Amino acid sequence: MSASEQPELEPELLQAVQAELERTLLGGERRYTQRESADLAGVDSERAQRLWQALGFTVDPDPDARTFTDGDVAALRNIDAIVASGALHPDLELAAARSLGQSMSRLAEWEVALMNTHILDRLETEYTGTTPSEREIRSFVDELLQRVLPLTETLQLYVWRRHLAATTGRNVVRAGGESAGRVLVVGFADMVGYTRLTRRIGADELYDLLEDFESTATGIVTQGGGWVIKTVGDEVMFAAEDPADAARIALALQESSGSRPDAPDLRVGMAQGPVLARFGDVFGSAVNIAARLTGAARPGTVLVDSTLAGVLDGDDRFRLRPLRALRVKDFHRLRPSVLRPPQN
């Protein structure tokens, strides 16, 4: 159902449902001020505010505003306990909270978008033209969440544990923890002409395009032995430890794009080098070089930096064609090569 086809419901009804959803999800009424919630959690008030903002939540400027719940108090206690256990260094707690908040915010946006039409359809069926009582609204919300919330929480916990196991396998044996330098191949795949395309297609078509791109790219990267670092609209960022895996992933991404006549062309850029892994993201010169090569690549091609080309050179599973030096921002003489599949 598109936005124009959504049922028209009384604003008061939607507000009442929103309030009941909030009360149920937050574990109770908003009953504490910021200072009271910090005191109950045994956390300094200023530290609590910094953590709350890092998690992505607004702090009411009125110190007497009662905006915190028992669930909020428990969350602050849990953060403090994790730091006290030694599992998280105090200097990293804000960065960890920020990363967690950003990840959960995106997940929540996606989940609400999935459930929104269902909720509106149910409300239209049951309450159009009527004024439900507070008891009926509470019953509606409780029934909805009892069916959906436990399943969603169980699934999220499992997916988190599965990713934790996979990430542990890649990182736990490395001395120095997450901040230690690792040599990785970092790549970007970018849809060509995306901005122009968004001016010509509707929201539904754009949704389908992005869903297909992200789904296809994620499948190719994970099946190829790499992992997706993040997706940003028309671009996916990925990494792999094995250079040959990275090369196969890049070529498979291009092949998947070329096999769909209605799909935009892709540009792919990759570079190998030491990176700083930090809270699910990676940073370093290799990341910047890969991004510059992606921007310089012609539609339908894969560019790799000289380091990665040197590693792949001689591998008969790939062909490499050196190009003349490129002048791009912050890198005056990049010497890329075009990566291609072997000739038949």
Side-chain angles (χ1 to χ4, degrees):
M1 177 184 295
S2 67
S4 61
E5 296 172 327
Q6 287 180 349
E8 293 196 11
L9 298 161
E10 293 296 327
E12 294 79 6
L13 172 60
L14 296 177
Q15 291 170 5
V17 170
Q18 167 62 29
E20 183 59 28
L21 280 168
E22 180 181 282
R23 184 194 67 80
T24 305
L25 290 171
L26 295 184
E29 304 289 345
R30 296 176 182 263
R31 55 190 300 191
Y32 305 118
T33 66
Q34 179 185 331
R35 182 170 293 278
E36 287 171 346
S37 65
D39 289 344
L40 286 169
V43 177
D44 175 80
S45 182
E46 292 185 1
R47 178 188 174 198
Q49 178 169 331
R50 290 194 298 270
L51 284 168
W52 209 243
Q53 290 174 327
L55 286 167
F57 303 127
T58 301
V59 177
D60 197 304
D62 180 3
D64 297 322
R66 298 192 175 275
T67 58
F68 293 86
T69 70
D70 288 318
D72 299 329
V73 173
L76 287 173
R77 284 177 180 154
N78 287 340
I79 294 174
D80 187 55
I82 292 172
V83 173
S85 73
L88 180 66
H89 194 279
D91 292 344
L92 296 178
E93 69 173 10
L94 290 181
R98 190 161 51 248
S99 179
L100 178 63
Q102 291 170 357
S103 299
M104 291 296 103
S105 175
R106 184 179 182 189
L107 179 62
E109 290 280 355
W110 175 77
E111 289 173 340
V112 169
L114 288 180
M115 291 192 301
N116 194 44
T117 298
H118 172 65
I119 293 173
L120 292 175
D121 286 345
R122 284 280 307 278
L123 288 172
E124 181 187 40
T125 300
E126 298 183 26
Y127 298 121
T128 295
T130 67
T131 304
S133 66
E134 182 178 331
R135 180 178 179 180
E136 287 175 315
I137 291 175
R138 179 163 295 184
S139 176
F140 170 83
V141 171
D142 285 348
E143 188 268 337
L144 175 70
L145 293 182
Q146 284 173 9
R147 284 190 298 108
V148 176
L149 200 59
L151 296 173
T152 304
E153 289 179 336
T154 300
L155 177 61
Q156 287 178 181
L157 179 60
Y158 167 75
V159 173
W160 171 72
R161 286 178 177 271
R162 202 70 170 79
H163 275 293
L164 192 64
T167 305
T168 298
R170 292 194 297 263
N171 291 281
V172 75
V173 298
R174 300 179 185 279
E178 188 184 37
S179 62
R182 300 172 58 190
V183 175
L184 296 177
V185 178
V186 178
F188 293 88
D190 173 69
M191 283 193 286
V192 178
Y194 173 78
T195 302
R196 292 193 304 274
L197 186 61
T198 58
R199 301 193 189 107
R200 295 190 287 104
I201 63 177
D204 291 342
E205 290 177 280
L206 179 60
Y207 176 89
D208 291 341
L209 173 66
L210 293 176
E211 174 62 25
D212 183 61
F213 172 63
E214 291 189 10
S215 176
T216 301
T218 300
I220 289 173
V221 171
T222 54
Q223 290 176 19
W227 63 96
V228 173
I229 297 172
K230 57 187 174 183
T231 58
V232 184
D234 61 329
E235 185 175 69
V236 61
M237 179 182 179
F238 62 93
E241 291 187 310
D242 187 287
D245 286 345
R248 284 192 294 265
I249 288 169
L251 294 175
L253 286 169
Q254 287 293 14
E255 183 180 1
S256 72
S257 175
S259 65
R260 302 190 306 275
D262 58 337
D265 288 330
L266 293 183
R267 290 180 297 218
V268 180
M270 297 193 300
Q272 183 182 30
V275 299
L276 170 67
R278 184 175 183 271
F279 298 110
D281 209 341
V282 293
F283 306 86
S285 182
V287 178
N288 297 328
I289 291 173
R292 300 292 187 271
L293 292 178
T294 305
R298 291 183 177 180
T301 64
V302 178
L303 289 188
V304 302
D305 76 324
S306 57
T307 301
L308 181 55
V311 175
L312 297 175
D313 188 32
D315 190 326
D316 58 11
R317 293 172 294 180
F318 314 107
R319 286 186 297 148
L320 292 160
R321 182 170 68 86
L323 301 179
R324 63 183 179 183
L326 292 178
R327 291 182 177 272
V328 297
K329 183 180 178 182
D330 300 325
F331 298 94
H332 297 300
R333 294 188 64 81
L334 285 181
R335 295 186 176 276
S337 294
V338 178
L339 175 69
R340 292 173 177 163
Q343 290 178 321
N344 295 328

